[in-house]
Amino acid sequence: MEISVTVNGRTYQHDVPPRLLLVHYLREQLNLTGAHVGCDTSQCGACVVHVNGQSVKSCTMLAVQADGCEVTTIEGLATDGTYHPMQQGFWEMHGLQCGFCTPGMIMSASALLQSNANPSEAEIRHALEGNLCRCTGYENIVRAVQYAAGQMQGQAQGNGQTAMHEQAKPETPETAAELEHPQREGGRPEEPETVEDWQSENAGVSDDAPAKPEARLNTGEGGL
Amino acid sequence: MATTDAPAKMFGQALKRREDPRLITGKGNYVDDIKLPGLLHAAILRAPYAHANINSINADAARALPGVVAVITGDEIAKEQNPLPCAWAAGGVDNNVNTPRALAVDTVRFTGEGVAMVVAESPYIAYDALDLIEVDYEPLDVVVDAEAATKEGAPQLHENAPNNIVMRWTCGKEQETTQAIDSAEVVVRQRIVNQRLLPTPMETRGYISRYDAATGEYTIWMSSQAPHVHRLLLTAFVLGIPENKMRCIAPDVGGGFGAKIFVYPEMAATLYAAKQVGQPVKWIETRRENYAATSHGRDHITDIEIAGTRDGTITGMRVHTYANLGAYLSTIAPGIPTTLYGRMLSGVYNIPAIFCEVHGVYTNTGMVDAYRGAGRPEATYVIERAMDMFADEIGIDPAEIRRKNFIQPQDFPFDTGLGMLPYDSGNYEPALDKALEAIGYQDFLKQQAEARQNGRLLGIGICSYVEVCGVAPSKWIGLTGEGWGAGLWESANVKVHLTGKVVVTTGSLPHGQGHETTFAQLVADELGVPYEDVLVEHSDTQGTPFGYGTYGSRSAAVGGTAIYKSVSKIKEKARRLAAHMLEAAEEDIVFEDGKAYVRGAPDAAKTIQEIALQASVAYDLPQGMEPFLDETTYYDPPNCTFPFGTHICTVEIDPDTGKVTPLRYVAVDDVGRVINPLIVNGQIHGGIAQGLAQALYEGAVYAENGQLLTGSLMDYAIPRADMVPHYELSRTETPSPVNPMGVKGAGEAGTIASAATVSNAVIDALSHLGIRHLDMPYSAEKVWRAIHGQ
Ligand code: FES
Ligand code: FES
């Protein structure tokens, strides 16, 4: 069947078999391999993209259903060579390890902030229920989303402040040139840290204390 | 040299990862992302029965389907290939080794075993064709329980393994232990089950094989934790061809957790198919296949007896374990419930008499091999549950019984008497104290007592663990009856190019652990060059020196040390060359922060760039010196490393529903010196989540007829973001004396500790109801039944 889909701002026309899944269309036909396939039951969320601004599991949708739609994939999230704050947040907060779940996570999390600009930890965890990560234990993913929320609120207020997280150091946005040369990145932080600094900066037991004095329960139902 | 422009030390810094830019922009390169000219796609028909003879296979209709290029069966491949090898025949496994073939021949022994492979122009066509293959099966009796499989009259899987026994293996002191138990004031006995787990990396396995008929060379792209080992095993054992006729490449790998260490039938099947059809063949595992046919973890039935005095001194422990190894032996399966489990059973305690007996058993289930922690989580679960049960029996505080029996700091190196190498270093009490303080132990106990008055169920669980990391010493593992058919050293090459830029190639490779960042930190420091100037390359057998792979938290301690030693060699050569350049005696040259100078005259220093250029242009070298700064090391450490720590968590159980909610989770880990705290913490977070999930959610379930009931992500509960708590981490730091960096390893610590921690908390919440033990996972139903005495 003939379809016309706009993906990351570019319109494509293709004749596709009716049973072709959107994720395979993106990956095989358009070579956009950022959306991954992690399951066959629509459980893992590795394949999440935005369709007309909504986050969608692209393994659950047929390519023909995307006819006439606007699709954004992880490849289209950075604008003008600048990472989306959510991408930056995942990098800053070590929100990924193997990186396989990451594109889907970032797409789901960025959609969350569109509907809820300042989510609580419980709301973040709830919103990411449809995305599985086996590596991070979700700790740093939550922090990445908090970082992005802080950045985006700061941007919205036009003052660039980093409200959410003590450890989130404001950074100059990456340039396009740096985006092209990932090996050059991850360079020296502005203030070098030692193990001792790192530990004392995070005094007490927790290297990982949440920024907000929020309930520790995953359910947000309050602690003891 | 105290100049102000000395480069800042990278070691210990929380640098964000240089791997991430490609991964957060969707530019990662996983196996399924790779496309080759002429690429064909494979799908595998899998057995619907757990045990059956194959009478015949009719693939005519499948072959006739347009777009199908070939249908391949096991008989055909068996003419050219050997079965997969078992590389760690621990515990006296010998005559009864049974390993899988690329595709089943004559008999299938677990549901999901591969029976035929379709190669087609698209995956959609390949899957269509599977439906057209007719297989005539003759079902046989099935056994899935390891203990039941050893009983008379149980269905037999392999002729050479009577009673389905793979091995009977023992360690420790049998007589002393019997004596200690027989004469003890208190003995606690309990059967405990460590349920089977499905490792579940988010990227399933996948392989692309290509064969070049002109040269006879294979290339295989693989989602793998050990490409060099895979090349070795596939060439020397399965195909019987020279090792240099195969190139293995692991691109970005989407998680492994042990499950991608092993050689798998599908590797062999795609290699065969690629040669057969003369085009590259890609096979990407579906999640259902991943659950059925990628190796599983744990699955022990264990009887423990722990003995001691009324005041809490443990004097002896006897353990018997049935280890379910599945239908065939996976690559290192026999080593897990023996070397890595039995020998670690004493944990952090000085226990004078321990004896362990393990029966490895074949059953009609998927293969079981290493999964995160591999053997140590099972051992930790046994000893840490046992300590709690003993404490409960004599009415002593669980923290105190641990403190009382800890191996003391002055006792290191410590020989446990179980045949493990001596623990290298440790100081267990500070970690316990720090964790107790962080959780507010005494306050919690008060709250718990009050809560109980009001019918609320609160629990606190402690686990003090030790694990073995950096598993390597080849001599130990090879000569001491451990049955491992290979060394376990690691290698690294370091080159300083003439511009002063450094390229490190390492046999060790990451699947999410950030080697490119941490190894660069290490080299930048040691060589005194900018971090940005160090490039780390790995994962391709063609471009990197041999490595045994990334597992057992061995990359920093073994692979990292190989890099460190190569850099030391470079520094030594640079020092000699600088002496020549500065016309000074070698012994007067100092090499520091990337510069060499005559002691006391740092202003006339030669930089590493100048030295590298001189070494490269080579017209003025000292007599006999070879050009270029290029050094390789094959590093085999003298001992393993033994990280340790204490984890504590609190839980609340809803008495009306049985639902367990984790409240707080505190982890104090001692992983030796830390290269990058950001990465180490990330490893620990993920590890905790996996062990906590074993306690609360995960468990592979086979029906009696051998059907895997938890065969998809809809049935097998890996945790989601709202099912785990926030983790509170801290560290103590006891450097390892084994390697020059003092690192120990962190990848598995979280998992090793957390299942036992959460278990102890759940049982603690129920202990006043007279419950001493329940088996994981603590589903609401199971807990509710226990509360209500059902
Ligand atoms: S691939 Fe798992 S949800 Fe789409
Ligand atoms: S980073 Fe590996 S699955 Fe999330």
Side-chain angles (χ1 to χ4, degrees):
Chain A
M1 290 172 73
E2 273 305 320
I3 58 169
S4 167
V5 193
T6 304
V7 182
N8 301 333
R10 192 172 145 193
T11 303
Y12 299 86
Q13 249 111 31
H14 278 112
D15 188 14
V16 299
R19 65 174 174 171
L20 184 70
L21 295 171
L22 178 59
V23 67
H24 290 141
Y25 174 70
L26 295 171
R27 290 177 53 81
E28 304 302 323
Q29 207 113 7
L30 305 188
N31 286 316
L32 295 169
T33 55
H36 298 146
V37 178
C39 70
D40 31 43
T41 48
S42 294
Q43 299 288 303
C44 76
C47 61
V48 170
V49 300
H50 296 172
V51 178
N52 293 342
Q54 301 279 314
S55 69
V56 162
K57 288 179 173 167
S58 60
C59 72
T60 312
M61 189 170 168
L62 298 168
V64 292
Q65 292 174 295
D67 186 24
C69 294
E70 293 259 358
V71 176
T72 306
T73 72
I74 187 74
E75 290 91 342
L77 203 59
T79 44
D80 304 329
T82 304
Y83 294 152
H84 186 281
M86 192 61 72
Q87 290 172 308
Q88 191 71 29
F90 271 72
W91 194 19
E92 297 291 337
M93 294 294 125
H94 188 33
L96 63 150
Q97 290 178 26
C98 76
F100 194 80
C101 73
T102 309
M105 274 295 172
I106 290 176
M107 297 311 282
S108 289
S110 59
L112 163 68
L113 294 190
Q114 276 162 27
S115 60
N116 181 353
N118 188 16
S120 68
E121 177 177 343
E123 286 169 334
I124 294 169
R125 288 182 184 270
H126 181 67
L128 294 180
E129 260 184 339
N131 290 72
L132 294 173
C133 175
R134 192 57 158 166
C135 296
T136 62
Y138 304 105
E139 182 76 25
N140 288 347
I141 289 179
V142 171
R143 296 166 68 189
V145 180
Q146 291 173 331
Y147 173 98
Q151 291 286 312
M152 290 172 80
Q153 281 185 306
Q155 275 168 19
Q157 290 157 17
N159 60 7
Q161 92 188 26
T162 317
M164 296 299 290
H165 210 287
E166 280 184 0
Q167 284 193 24
K169 295 193 190 85
E171 282 245 347
T172 334
E174 303 306 319
T175 63
E178 280 176 316
L179 263 175
E180 295 307 315
H181 298 285
Q183 283 300 342
R184 294 168 49 92
E185 295 179 345
R188 235 170 261 170
E190 281 139 27
E191 305 146 86
E193 288 181 271
T194 63
V195 180
E196 291 71 30
D197 288 343
W198 170 265
Q199 280 168 344
S200 62
E201 199 178 275
N202 299 281
V205 71
S206 177
D207 277 5
D208 305 84
K212 294 196 297 175
E214 190 171 299
R216 289 195 171 91
L217 276 177
N218 56 0
T219 54
E221 283 161 7
L224 289 164
Chain B
M1 186 169 67
T3 57
T4 45
D5 61 351
K9 287 291 177 206
M10 297 283 119
F11 198 109
Q13 280 192 41
L15 296 197
K16 61 188 185 194
R17 299 195 316 175
R18 55 164 59 170
E19 289 85 345
D20 292 356
R22 68 173 187 270
L23 302 176
I24 57 177
T25 52
K27 301 280 166 47
N29 189 34
Y30 302 87
V31 169
D32 195 23
D33 301 339
I34 294 170
K35 296 187 174 103
L36 301 172
L39 187 64
L40 297 174
H41 301 268
I44 295 175
L45 183 70
R46 293 182 179 275
Y49 295 101
H51 201 186
N53 288 329
I54 302 171
N55 290 333
S56 64
I57 300 175
N58 182 347
D60 293 347
R63 287 196 178 95
L65 188 73
V68 169
V69 178
V71 180
I72 293 163
T73 60
D75 289 349
E76 194 184 324
I77 304 185
K79 290 189 194 109
E80 286 207 6
Q81 289 186 2
N82 299 312
L84 306 186
C86 174
W88 195 354
V93 179
D94 199 3
N95 298 324
N96 46 11
V97 169
N98 294 282
T99 55
R101 290 183 167 276
L103 293 169
V105 176
D106 299 336
T107 306
V108 292
R109 295 184 177 84
F110 68 96
T111 49
E113 186 170 356
V115 172
M117 178 183 260
V118 173
V119 181
E121 283 163 10
S122 87
Y124 285 69
I125 297 172
Y127 280 102
D128 283 347
L130 292 187
D131 292 342
L132 301 175
I133 302 175
E134 284 168 28
V135 184
D136 178 13
Y137 292 102
E138 175 194 335
L140 302 169
D141 288 343
V142 170
V143 62
V144 297
D145 177 275
E147 186 180 14
T150 63
K151 301 289 184 249
E152 283 311 314
Q156 297 292 294
L157 272 78
H158 303 281
E159 269 175 22
N160 60 359
N163 297 100
N164 299 310
I165 290 174
V166 179
M167 80 260 180
R168 175 191 175 269
W169 177 92
T170 64
C171 72
K173 307 167 191 158
E174 185 165 20
Q175 274 186 350
E176 284 96 320
T177 306
T178 306
Q179 243 165 25
I181 289 173
D182 291 351
S183 63
E185 287 178 22
V186 183
V187 182
V188 174
R189 297 187 166 82
Q190 180 68 46
R191 166 162 286 206
I192 64 179
V193 174
N194 198 311
Q195 82 271 30
R196 180 181 292 231
L197 300 179
L198 307 176
T200 321
M202 291 322 301
E203 182 206 28
T204 57
R205 289 183 296 126
Y207 312 117
I208 304 172
S209 289
R210 184 174 71 187
Y211 179 72
D212 183 337
T215 59
E217 286 169 13
Y218 291 92
T219 305
I220 174 167
W221 288 261
M222 46 179 26
S223 188
S224 165
Q225 294 176 238
H228 285 277
V229 173
H230 290 152
R231 179 180 64 166
L232 173 72
L233 297 178
L234 290 168
T235 55
F237 295 90
V238 180
L239 300 185
I241 59 169
E243 200 182 341
N244 57 14
K245 292 288 182 190
M246 187 178 292
R247 174 179 180 186
C248 294
I249 304 168
D252 283 323
V253 175
F257 314 115
K260 291 175 184 170
I261 303 170
F262 320 121
V263 273
Y264 280 100
E266 296 85 357
M267 294 177 182
T270 56
L271 288 167
Y272 178 86
K275 185 176 176 193
Q276 216 49 30
V277 302
Q279 279 170 265
V281 174
K282 177 194 268 190
W283 170 76
I284 299 295
E285 188 180 52
T286 64
R287 177 59 58 188
R288 282 169 194 281
E289 288 181 290
N290 178 260
Y291 277 177
T294 288
S295 71
H296 303 162
R298 320 279 189 257
D299 206 346
H300 286 188
I301 302 169
T302 296
D303 291 296
I304 54 170
E305 298 162 274
I306 184 163
T309 62
R310 287 239 152 262
D311 66 352
T313 301
I314 302 300
T315 53
M317 184 165 85
R318 186 161 49 203
V319 176
H320 176 268
T321 294
Y322 290 102
N324 192 342
L325 298 178
Y328 303 93
L329 295 187
S330 170
T331 312
I332 60 172
I336 308 307
T338 54
T339 309
L340 294 178
Y341 164 75
R343 299 195 192 288
M344 292 302 290
L345 272 168
S346 60
V348 285
Y349 310 110
N350 187 346
I351 304 178
I354 310 195
F355 177 69
C356 167
E357 180 181 26
V358 177
H359 279 93
V361 184
Y362 290 116
T363 64
N364 296 112
T365 61
M367 291 182 277
V368 180
D369 205 324
Y371 163 57
R372 202 165 193 170
R376 289 91 84 200
E378 295 94 312
T380 302
Y381 184 63
V382 168
I383 180 70
E384 288 300 286
R385 281 299 301 124
M387 292 302 277
D388 261 30
M389 286 187 264
F390 194 90
D392 185 52
E393 180 74 21
I394 62 172
I396 183 178
D397 184 280
E400 283 323 299
I401 197 168
R402 286 177 169 77
R403 196 185 302 282
K404 203 174 172 85
N405 290 283
F406 275 158
I407 299 161
Q408 294 303 307
Q410 66 276 10
D411 296 338
F412 292 92
F414 181 83
D415 183 353
T416 60
L418 286 168
M420 181 48 75
L421 287 163
Y423 293 177
D424 60 339
S425 63
N427 190 3
Y428 301 150
E429 219 168 328
L432 173 66
D433 288 337
K434 207 168 177 181
L436 290 170
E437 196 193 315
I439 201 98
Y441 192 61
Q442 294 304 334
D443 283 351
F444 184 87
L445 293 183
K446 277 191 218 116
Q447 284 172 323
Q448 180 185 43
E450 266 170 44
R452 280 180 178 172
Q453 302 291 325
N454 303 323
R456 285 176 67 201
L457 302 175
L458 295 182
I460 188 160
I462 304 174
C463 166
S464 294
Y465 74 95
V466 59
E467 62 150 326
V468 52
C469 282
V471 173
S474 302
K475 193 169 176 180
W476 168 64
I477 210 133
L479 294 183
T480 53
E482 302 293 317
W484 176 245
L488 277 177
W489 41 266
E490 285 297 331
S491 62
N493 173 269
V494 177
K495 281 186 182 64
V496 185
H497 287 275
L498 52 166
T499 55
K501 310 292 180 207
V502 184
V503 176
V504 179
T505 48
T506 157
S508 174
L509 74 157
H511 43 287
Q513 296 94 338
H515 289 21
E516 289 162 37
T517 301
T518 46
F519 286 168
Q521 284 180 263
L522 174 64
V523 171
D525 264 7
E526 284 304 310
L527 213 49
V529 297
Y531 166 79
E532 296 78 6
D533 286 355
V534 183
L535 179 70
V536 177
E537 295 190 333
H538 49 71
S539 299
D540 181 344
T541 57
Q542 186 140 302
T544 62
F546 194 94
Y548 276 98
T550 294
Y551 48 83
S553 301
R554 59 198 301 280
S555 284
V558 192
T561 304
I563 294 173
Y564 181 95
K565 290 200 173 267
S566 292
V567 172
S568 300
K569 290 178 191 172
I570 294 230
K571 279 160 71 175
E572 182 50 29
K573 184 167 180 181
R575 210 176 58 80
R576 284 198 289 131
L577 182 49
H580 181 74
M581 293 162 79
L582 293 165
E583 297 176 351
E586 266 180 50
E587 52 277 16
D588 292 338
I589 299 288
V590 182
F591 187 102
E592 209 175 67
D593 293 334
K595 297 189 186 87
Y597 56 93
V598 181
R599 186 170 287 107
D603 290 347
K606 295 287 177 195
T607 65
I608 187 77
Q609 286 88 347
E610 290 171 296
I611 300 168
L613 184 62
Q614 179 108 346
S616 173
V617 296
Y619 55 76
D620 184 17
L621 297 180
Q623 195 66 36
M625 179 179 275
E626 289 179 15
F628 221 72
L629 299 180
D630 177 349
E631 298 288 345
T632 299
T633 302
Y634 296 86
Y635 174 67
D636 202 345
N639 195 355
C640 304
T641 62
F642 294 85
F644 61 89
T646 293
H647 289 202
I648 305 184
C649 87
T650 55
V651 300
E652 174 150 18
I653 297 175
D654 181 342
D656 295 330
T657 62
K659 181 176 187 295
V660 180
T661 303
L663 302 176
R664 286 183 65 198
Y665 196 103
V666 165
V668 180
D669 296 289
D670 192 321
V671 298
R673 290 190 66 210
V674 167
I675 302 174
N676 184 328
L678 195 65
I679 289 176
V680 164
N681 285 354
Q683 290 291 309
I684 291 172
H685 293 157
I688 293 171
Q690 289 190 9
L692 178 140
Q694 171 170 23
L696 297 183
Y697 312 119
E698 294 184 30
V701 179
Y702 277 97
E704 298 233 315
N705 68 357
Q707 295 300 321
L708 179 60
L709 299 180
T710 50
S712 79
L713 279 170
M714 296 211 284
D715 319 297
Y716 184 79
I718 83 162
R720 296 168 187 280
D722 64 346
M723 291 158 73
V724 294
H726 161 65
Y727 321 112
E728 303 165 49
L729 307 192
S730 77
R731 280 191 286 279
T732 61
E733 192 170 295
T734 309
S736 173
V738 170
N739 57 68
M741 294 178 291
V743 299
K744 286 193 163 183
E748 296 151 310
T751 307
I752 288 169
S754 57
T757 307
V758 177
S759 289
N760 284 343
V762 170
I763 307 302
D764 180 59
L766 303 171
S767 59
H768 63 296
L769 306 175
I771 293 165
R772 186 169 79 182
H773 179 78
L774 290 175
D775 288 323
M776 305 181 287
Y778 304 112
S779 64
E781 185 201 355
K782 186 185 287 177
V783 173
W784 185 89
R785 283 181 189 279
I787 294 171
H788 293 84
Q790 298 191 5

